[in-house]
Amino acid sequence: MPIIRTIDMLNEIVGRIVVVLAIVFAGIIIYDVILRYVFNSPTRWAFDVAKQTYGFYLILLGGYALRHQSHVRVDLLTETFGNGLRRVVEIAGYVIFFFPFAWVFVARSYEFAATSWAQREVTYGAIAIPVYPLKAALCLGAILLLLQGVSEVLKLILGRNHWESLDGR
């Protein structure tokens, strides 16, 4: 289905772009550690920037992780079920638990981001770094996670296994 491919491709692209932030995050930490311990000249901004970079990294990878089935799962009971019953249980899990959580996550993170954006919120550290882009990323991450949940349920309804969706069959 085109919608499944579109959602999966969107989260794949975002995931591959955001993974680069891990390199930036590590670089900032290494830079700060070298300045702090080798040159005895710590930065005033590195800690806040590293926290925000890690926040972007963590928040925006939720949909990517769901696409690749990287979230924690407890399949002790369902692994004994046949494919049909397992599919029904997974769909029920999405409907009962995932979608209500994801909807509240999207709605609340939108309110959170809108308030922060309207106030042009900044950090309280030594340097005032804008916080509202990170809070907007929280909302975007929630939307990406919700969309990926839709894709996963459609795959279950169509009878596709998770491993089939990952290699494009």
Side-chain angles (χ1 to χ4, degrees):
M1 284 183 71
I3 190 160
I4 293 172
R5 281 192 301 275
T6 302
I7 293 169
D8 287 356
M9 183 176 58
L10 174 64
N11 273 307
E12 189 68 32
I13 290 168
V14 169
R16 289 179 184 215
I17 291 170
V18 170
V19 155
V20 174
L21 285 178
I23 298 166
V24 173
F25 176 66
I28 292 169
I29 291 173
I30 291 167
Y31 175 77
D32 190 44
V33 167
I34 290 171
L35 284 179
R36 180 179 306 270
Y37 293 107
V38 175
F39 298 106
N40 197 24
S41 179
T43 62
R44 296 175 51 175
W45 56 268
F47 182 69
D48 285 337
V49 171
K51 281 192 313 185
Q52 286 199 356
T53 305
Y54 183 68
F56 275 107
Y57 178 77
L58 186 66
I59 294 299
L60 292 175
L61 288 178
Y64 179 81
L66 183 58
R67 171 174 165 36
H68 290 280
Q69 300 300 305
S70 296
H71 288 283
V72 174
R73 298 173 62 109
V74 181
D75 296 332
L76 298 174
L77 184 62
T78 58
E79 70 182 11
T80 62
F81 296 167
N83 283 340
L85 181 56
R86 184 180 304 158
R87 217 173 252 119
V88 168
V89 169
E90 285 195 36
I91 291 169
Y94 274 101
V95 170
I96 295 169
F97 299 109
F98 179 85
F99 287 125
F101 163 78
W103 178 251
V104 169
F105 186 27
V106 168
R108 298 298 293 165
S109 65
Y110 174 79
E111 293 169 11
F112 197 49
T115 301
S116 181
W117 201 274
Q119 296 172 349
R120 296 291 195 241
E121 185 179 8
V122 296
T123 61
Y124 296 106
I127 295 179
I129 298 172
V131 176
Y132 48 91
L134 180 60
K135 291 186 178 180
L138 180 66
C139 182
L140 177 60
I143 291 167
L144 291 170
L145 185 64
L146 177 63
L147 287 173
Q148 192 61 45
V150 169
S151 174
E152 296 305 312
V153 167
L154 289 173
K155 291 173 200 172
L156 288 166
I157 290 170
L158 295 171
R160 295 179 67 185
N161 293 320
H162 298 296
W163 56 88
E164 290 175 6
S165 63
L166 294 178
D167 62 14
R169 284 186 276 167

